[in-house]
Amino acid sequence: MRLVSSIAAVAVLALTTPAFAAGQAAGPSSAPQAAPAPAPAEEDDSPDEAAFEAKAEAFGETMEAMVAEMQAAAAQADKAKAKADLDEIQAKYQAQVDAFAEAVNTFATSQAAPAEQVAMAMQQIKGIPLQARTEIEQAAAAPAAAPPAQPQ
């Protein structure tokens, strides 16, 4: 069923975007990760499906940009400025995240998706900025922790 795969792709995107943030926070040498590839098409996409897939791809790119901005903000030496910048970035992107979640709702409803799946996907999507920020802040704070004692 194509709808289930579309919702699954959105859920995977919602779950992998913060993982991408954690992987990128580990160091700049990490190879960039692309958004998950959609499942091979069994049949031609309808115009609605194609439009939704384009929105999902654009959303993935937007989340990658958000993560990059958050990483730069979290890396600042001035932690008060970093917090203020992270607040601003999170607020800026939350509106776009909410709009995409509504697009998921509209598309899924038009495809008669189970309400439980749609609600869960929307909740996961709307939580992306906070989850990404939390993981980025934790990664930024980790190097500040005292290094473990090394045996001599």
mmCIF file of all heavy atoms in Angstrom, residues 48-73:
data_model
loop_
_atom_site.group_PDB
_atom_site.id
_atom_site.type_symbol
_atom_site.label_atom_id
_atom_site.label_comp_id
_atom_site.label_asym_id
_atom_site.label_seq_id
_atom_site.Cartn_x
_atom_site.Cartn_y
_atom_site.Cartn_z
ATOM 1 N N ASP A 48 -0.947 13.890 -6.657
ATOM 2 C CA ASP A 48 -0.940 14.216 -5.231
ATOM 3 C C ASP A 48 0.259 13.577 -4.531
ATOM 4 O O ASP A 48 0.900 14.209 -3.691
ATOM 5 C CB ASP A 48 -2.228 13.733 -4.551
ATOM 6 C CG ASP A 48 -3.444 14.557 -4.931
ATOM 7 O OD1 ASP A 48 -3.269 15.679 -5.468
ATOM 8 O OD2 ASP A 48 -4.573 14.082 -4.692
ATOM 9 N N GLU A 49 0.548 12.317 -4.873
ATOM 10 C CA GLU A 49 1.684 11.627 -4.265
ATOM 11 C C GLU A 49 2.998 12.289 -4.664
ATOM 12 O O GLU A 49 3.895 12.471 -3.833
ATOM 13 C CB GLU A 49 1.697 10.151 -4.645
ATOM 14 C CG GLU A 49 0.606 9.349 -3.980
ATOM 15 C CD GLU A 49 0.520 7.931 -4.525
ATOM 16 O OE1 GLU A 49 0.870 7.717 -5.715
ATOM 17 O OE2 GLU A 49 0.094 7.049 -3.773
ATOM 18 N N ALA A 50 3.112 12.653 -5.927
ATOM 19 C CA ALA A 50 4.335 13.296 -6.407
ATOM 20 C C ALA A 50 4.532 14.650 -5.713
ATOM 21 O O ALA A 50 5.656 14.993 -5.311
ATOM 22 C CB ALA A 50 4.277 13.477 -7.926
ATOM 23 N N ALA A 51 3.455 15.394 -5.552
ATOM 24 C CA ALA A 51 3.551 16.693 -4.876
ATOM 25 C C ALA A 51 3.940 16.514 -3.412
ATOM 26 O O ALA A 51 4.774 17.255 -2.880
ATOM 27 C CB ALA A 51 2.219 17.444 -4.980
ATOM 28 N N PHE A 52 3.367 15.504 -2.779
ATOM 29 C CA PHE A 52 3.698 15.247 -1.376
ATOM 30 C C PHE A 52 5.154 14.816 -1.229
ATOM 31 O O PHE A 52 5.862 15.259 -0.323
ATOM 32 C CB PHE A 52 2.764 14.188 -0.782
ATOM 33 C CG PHE A 52 3.087 13.891 0.650
ATOM 34 C CD1 PHE A 52 2.766 14.789 1.650
ATOM 35 C CD2 PHE A 52 3.752 12.722 0.994
ATOM 36 C CE1 PHE A 52 3.087 14.523 2.974
ATOM 37 C CE2 PHE A 52 4.073 12.447 2.306
ATOM 38 C CZ PHE A 52 3.743 13.352 3.304
ATOM 39 N N GLU A 53 5.628 13.957 -2.116
ATOM 40 C CA GLU A 53 7.024 13.516 -2.067
ATOM 41 C C GLU A 53 7.969 14.695 -2.257
ATOM 42 O O GLU A 53 9.014 14.779 -1.598
ATOM 43 C CB GLU A 53 7.276 12.422 -3.101
ATOM 44 C CG GLU A 53 6.658 11.090 -2.706
ATOM 45 C CD GLU A 53 6.842 9.999 -3.752
ATOM 46 O OE1 GLU A 53 7.697 10.151 -4.650
ATOM 47 O OE2 GLU A 53 6.127 8.994 -3.661
ATOM 48 N N ALA A 54 7.604 15.619 -3.135
ATOM 49 C CA ALA A 54 8.436 16.813 -3.326
ATOM 50 C C ALA A 54 8.460 17.656 -2.046
ATOM 51 O O ALA A 54 9.517 18.176 -1.656
ATOM 52 C CB ALA A 54 7.901 17.642 -4.499
ATOM 53 N N LYS A 55 7.301 17.776 -1.391
ATOM 54 C CA LYS A 55 7.254 18.509 -0.117
ATOM 55 C C LYS A 55 8.123 17.823 0.938
ATOM 56 O O LYS A 55 8.813 18.482 1.704
ATOM 57 C CB LYS A 55 5.819 18.612 0.401
ATOM 58 C CG LYS A 55 4.955 19.604 -0.325
ATOM 59 C CD LYS A 55 3.558 19.637 0.277
ATOM 60 C CE LYS A 55 2.646 20.505 -0.543
ATOM 61 N NZ LYS A 55 1.280 20.531 -0.013
ATOM 62 N N ALA A 56 8.081 16.494 0.965
ATOM 63 C CA ALA A 56 8.875 15.743 1.943
ATOM 64 C C ALA A 56 10.368 15.935 1.690
ATOM 65 O O ALA A 56 11.144 16.110 2.635
ATOM 66 C CB ALA A 56 8.502 14.265 1.912
ATOM 67 N N GLU A 57 10.773 15.921 0.427
ATOM 68 C CA GLU A 57 12.185 16.152 0.110
ATOM 69 C C GLU A 57 12.608 17.558 0.509
ATOM 70 O O GLU A 57 13.685 17.748 1.092
ATOM 71 C CB GLU A 57 12.438 15.914 -1.375
ATOM 72 C CG GLU A 57 12.450 14.448 -1.757
ATOM 73 C CD GLU A 57 12.762 14.231 -3.226
ATOM 74 O OE1 GLU A 57 13.548 15.017 -3.796
ATOM 75 O OE2 GLU A 57 12.234 13.266 -3.796
ATOM 76 N N ALA A 58 11.783 18.538 0.204
ATOM 77 C CA ALA A 58 12.096 19.921 0.570
ATOM 78 C C ALA A 58 12.161 20.065 2.090
ATOM 79 O O ALA A 58 13.026 20.770 2.626
ATOM 80 C CB ALA A 58 11.051 20.874 -0.021
ATOM 81 N N PHE A 59 11.266 19.379 2.784
ATOM 82 C CA PHE A 59 11.266 19.417 4.248
ATOM 83 C C PHE A 59 12.567 18.824 4.790
ATOM 84 O O PHE A 59 13.168 19.371 5.715
ATOM 85 C CB PHE A 59 10.052 18.654 4.787
ATOM 86 C CG PHE A 59 10.007 18.591 6.283
ATOM 87 C CD1 PHE A 59 9.674 19.709 7.030
ATOM 88 C CD2 PHE A 59 10.293 17.416 6.947
ATOM 89 C CE1 PHE A 59 9.628 19.657 8.420
ATOM 90 C CE2 PHE A 59 10.252 17.350 8.338
ATOM 91 C CZ PHE A 59 9.916 18.472 9.073
ATOM 92 N N GLY A 60 13.015 17.727 4.229
ATOM 93 C CA GLY A 60 14.274 17.114 4.656
ATOM 94 C C GLY A 60 15.442 18.076 4.490
ATOM 95 O O GLY A 60 16.297 18.201 5.373
ATOM 96 N N GLU A 61 15.474 18.783 3.374
ATOM 97 C CA GLU A 61 16.532 19.769 3.140
ATOM 98 C C GLU A 61 16.433 20.920 4.145
ATOM 99 O O GLU A 61 17.454 21.399 4.646
ATOM 100 C CB GLU A 61 16.459 20.288 1.715
ATOM 101 C CG GLU A 61 16.831 19.230 0.679
ATOM 102 C CD GLU A 61 16.546 19.646 -0.746
ATOM 103 O OE1 GLU A 61 16.172 20.823 -0.988
ATOM 104 O OE2 GLU A 61 16.696 18.792 -1.634
ATOM 105 N N THR A 62 15.209 21.330 4.457
ATOM 106 C CA THR A 62 15.012 22.393 5.441
ATOM 107 C C THR A 62 15.512 21.946 6.809
ATOM 108 O O THR A 62 16.149 22.714 7.532
ATOM 109 C CB THR A 62 13.519 22.778 5.516
ATOM 110 O OG1 THR A 62 13.110 23.252 4.222
ATOM 111 C CG2 THR A 62 13.259 23.848 6.541
ATOM 112 N N MET A 63 15.247 20.692 7.168
ATOM 113 C CA MET A 63 15.705 20.193 8.468
ATOM 114 C C MET A 63 17.231 20.092 8.514
ATOM 115 O O MET A 63 17.842 20.359 9.551
ATOM 116 C CB MET A 63 15.062 18.840 8.791
ATOM 117 C CG MET A 63 13.545 18.924 9.039
ATOM 118 S SD MET A 63 13.083 19.978 10.464
ATOM 119 C CE MET A 63 12.825 21.585 9.687
ATOM 120 N N GLU A 64 17.854 19.742 7.404
ATOM 121 C CA GLU A 64 19.312 19.719 7.361
ATOM 122 C C GLU A 64 19.872 21.126 7.574
ATOM 123 O O GLU A 64 20.859 21.299 8.292
ATOM 124 C CB GLU A 64 19.801 19.127 6.045
ATOM 125 C CG GLU A 64 19.586 17.629 5.944
ATOM 126 C CD GLU A 64 20.063 17.040 4.627
ATOM 127 O OE1 GLU A 64 20.880 17.679 3.940
ATOM 128 O OE2 GLU A 64 19.612 15.933 4.303
ATOM 129 N N ALA A 65 19.243 22.126 6.969
ATOM 130 C CA ALA A 65 19.680 23.518 7.159
ATOM 131 C C ALA A 65 19.495 23.930 8.617
ATOM 132 O O ALA A 65 20.365 24.599 9.197
ATOM 133 C CB ALA A 65 18.894 24.447 6.226
ATOM 134 N N MET A 66 18.374 23.542 9.222
ATOM 135 C CA MET A 66 18.127 23.871 10.627
ATOM 136 C C MET A 66 19.213 23.270 11.512
ATOM 137 O O MET A 66 19.743 23.932 12.408
ATOM 138 C CB MET A 66 16.757 23.354 11.066
ATOM 139 C CG MET A 66 16.455 23.614 12.539
ATOM 140 S SD MET A 66 15.004 22.716 13.146
ATOM 141 C CE MET A 66 15.647 21.035 13.203
ATOM 142 N N VAL A 67 19.539 22.011 11.264
ATOM 143 C CA VAL A 67 20.561 21.324 12.059
ATOM 144 C C VAL A 67 21.892 22.050 11.935
ATOM 145 O O VAL A 67 22.582 22.277 12.939
ATOM 146 C CB VAL A 67 20.679 19.843 11.634
ATOM 147 C CG1 VAL A 67 21.947 19.198 12.164
ATOM 148 C CG2 VAL A 67 19.452 19.071 12.087
ATOM 149 N N ALA A 68 22.264 22.440 10.725
ATOM 150 C CA ALA A 68 23.533 23.145 10.524
ATOM 151 C C ALA A 68 23.535 24.472 11.297
ATOM 152 O O ALA A 68 24.534 24.823 11.939
ATOM 153 C CB ALA A 68 23.770 23.396 9.039
ATOM 154 N N GLU A 69 22.428 25.204 11.248
ATOM 155 C CA GLU A 69 22.334 26.464 11.991
ATOM 156 C C GLU A 69 22.416 26.222 13.492
ATOM 157 O O GLU A 69 23.093 26.960 14.214
ATOM 158 C CB GLU A 69 21.029 27.192 11.658
ATOM 159 C CG GLU A 69 20.999 27.808 10.283
ATOM 160 C CD GLU A 69 19.698 28.569 10.024
ATOM 161 O OE1 GLU A 69 19.198 29.266 10.944
ATOM 162 O OE2 GLU A 69 19.180 28.459 8.905
ATOM 163 N N MET A 70 21.736 25.190 13.965
ATOM 164 C CA MET A 70 21.766 24.883 15.393
ATOM 165 C C MET A 70 23.165 24.473 15.846
ATOM 166 O O MET A 70 23.613 24.852 16.922
ATOM 167 C CB MET A 70 20.749 23.794 15.739
ATOM 168 C CG MET A 70 19.328 24.264 15.757
ATOM 169 S SD MET A 70 18.227 22.911 16.274
ATOM 170 C CE MET A 70 16.725 23.815 16.584
ATOM 171 N N GLN A 71 23.854 23.696 15.024
ATOM 172 C CA GLN A 71 25.210 23.278 15.382
ATOM 173 C C GLN A 71 26.134 24.478 15.494
ATOM 174 O O GLN A 71 26.939 24.563 16.421
ATOM 175 C CB GLN A 71 25.751 22.283 14.353
ATOM 176 C CG GLN A 71 25.106 20.937 14.456
ATOM 177 C CD GLN A 71 25.508 20.010 13.331
ATOM 178 O OE1 GLN A 71 25.769 20.445 12.218
ATOM 179 N NE2 GLN A 71 25.544 18.730 13.612
ATOM 180 N N ALA A 72 26.024 25.404 14.548
ATOM 181 C CA ALA A 72 26.861 26.604 14.584
ATOM 182 C C ALA A 72 26.543 27.434 15.828
ATOM 183 O O ALA A 72 27.451 27.937 16.495
ATOM 184 C CB ALA A 72 26.658 27.422 13.314
ATOM 185 N N ALA A 73 25.272 27.568 16.149
ATOM 186 C CA ALA A 73 24.876 28.353 17.324
ATOM 187 C C ALA A 73 25.361 27.689 18.606
ATOM 188 O O ALA A 73 25.869 28.365 19.511
ATOM 189 C CB ALA A 73 23.355 28.523 17.363
#
